[in-house]
Amino acid sequence: MKLPFDLDRPLVFFDLETTGLDLKNDRIIELAFIKWTPRGDVLERERRFNPGIPIPAEASAVHGIFDADVANEAPFCRRANALAKMLEGCDLAGFNVRRFDIPMLIEEFARCGVDFSLEGRRIVDMQNIFHREERRDLSAAARFYLDREHEEAHTALGDIRTSAGVLGAQLARYPHIPQDLDGLHAYCEEYAPTRTEVDRWFGPESEGRPFRRGKHKGTPLADVAREARDYLHWMIGADDMDADVIAIVRAALDPATAGDPPDPAQDPLPRPGAHS
């Protein structure tokens, strides 16, 4: 298919299939993408990965991928550098990518020690457009916009083929929404802002990084560093805390206190999930 707008850099539609929905504990087992270039070249790729953990039956019931299907596949980390290179300098698109696929991909790259930044990327999410205008899922989107059934539901390549077709139909149906990548990115960002773990923990740096969660919600990070250092030490020591969050917390502590152990008796705290 031909994209309904011109490109100034590559655009990648992608989709993931995973062992589950937990960003920290679940793993990617299939990734597919279609990459369009400004010259009109189209590249399709589909890869499966051995997650190193069992695939739950409920997940297999959704996407049809079982342990035996990926037993001989390479782990994600073996392909991570090549994949990051393939996505370098590309804008991203897909269905529900802002809330799930992109955060999951970032987590998976981080586990492999590969930096994958969203800085400067435009992100278009067909679910954002659809939910703002019609509020249903991808199969309903295929029926509504393309007048056909989504026969390849929950296969990664099938999902992104349908997603790409839905985007073209959405732009034709809704002439009042932006018809270019910059505008579509802003449209989707307004509806469902892309948030990293840093964004989930802290507000803007220009406002002093106030906590967005936990017992110090609303309090600037510098104030917590002065008045509740043990809380920050706890964050640094939490084994499931995001590395970028830890780096910001370390920077807020002065070197003399950053190495001091927390005092559990003074500040007994639950795991990070309890503060969300």
Side-chain angles (χ1 to χ4, degrees), residues 24-36:
K24 293 294 183 183
N25 297 312
D26 283 307
R27 298 292 185 267
I28 295 171
I29 55 176
E30 185 174 77
L31 183 150
F33 68 80
I34 304 176
K35 181 177 182 178
W36 276 269

Side-chain angles (χ1 to χ4, degrees), residues 201-262:
W201 273 99
F202 305 113
E205 186 174 7
S206 60
E207 298 176 9
R209 292 199 188 277
F211 274 81
R212 281 182 164 147
R213 63 198 299 190
K215 63 187 291 184
H216 297 290
K217 184 176 180 180
T219 305
L221 177 58
D223 291 351
V224 177
R226 282 195 305 270
E227 301 165 8
R229 293 194 301 272
D230 287 335
Y231 186 82
L232 301 188
H233 284 299
W234 164 78
M235 290 181 67
I236 290 172
D239 58 12
D240 55 355
M241 190 65 65
D242 180 79
D244 290 335
V245 172
I246 290 175
I248 289 171
V249 170
R250 285 189 184 280
L253 292 164
D254 72 61
T257 62
D260 294 338

Side-chain angles (χ1 to χ4, degrees), residues 18-27 100 104 107 111:
T18 66
T19 60
L21 304 178
D22 188 320
L23 298 182
K24 293 294 183 183
N25 297 312
D26 283 307
R27 298 292 185 267
F100 179 71
M104 177 65 80
E107 285 292 326
R111 281 189 284 267

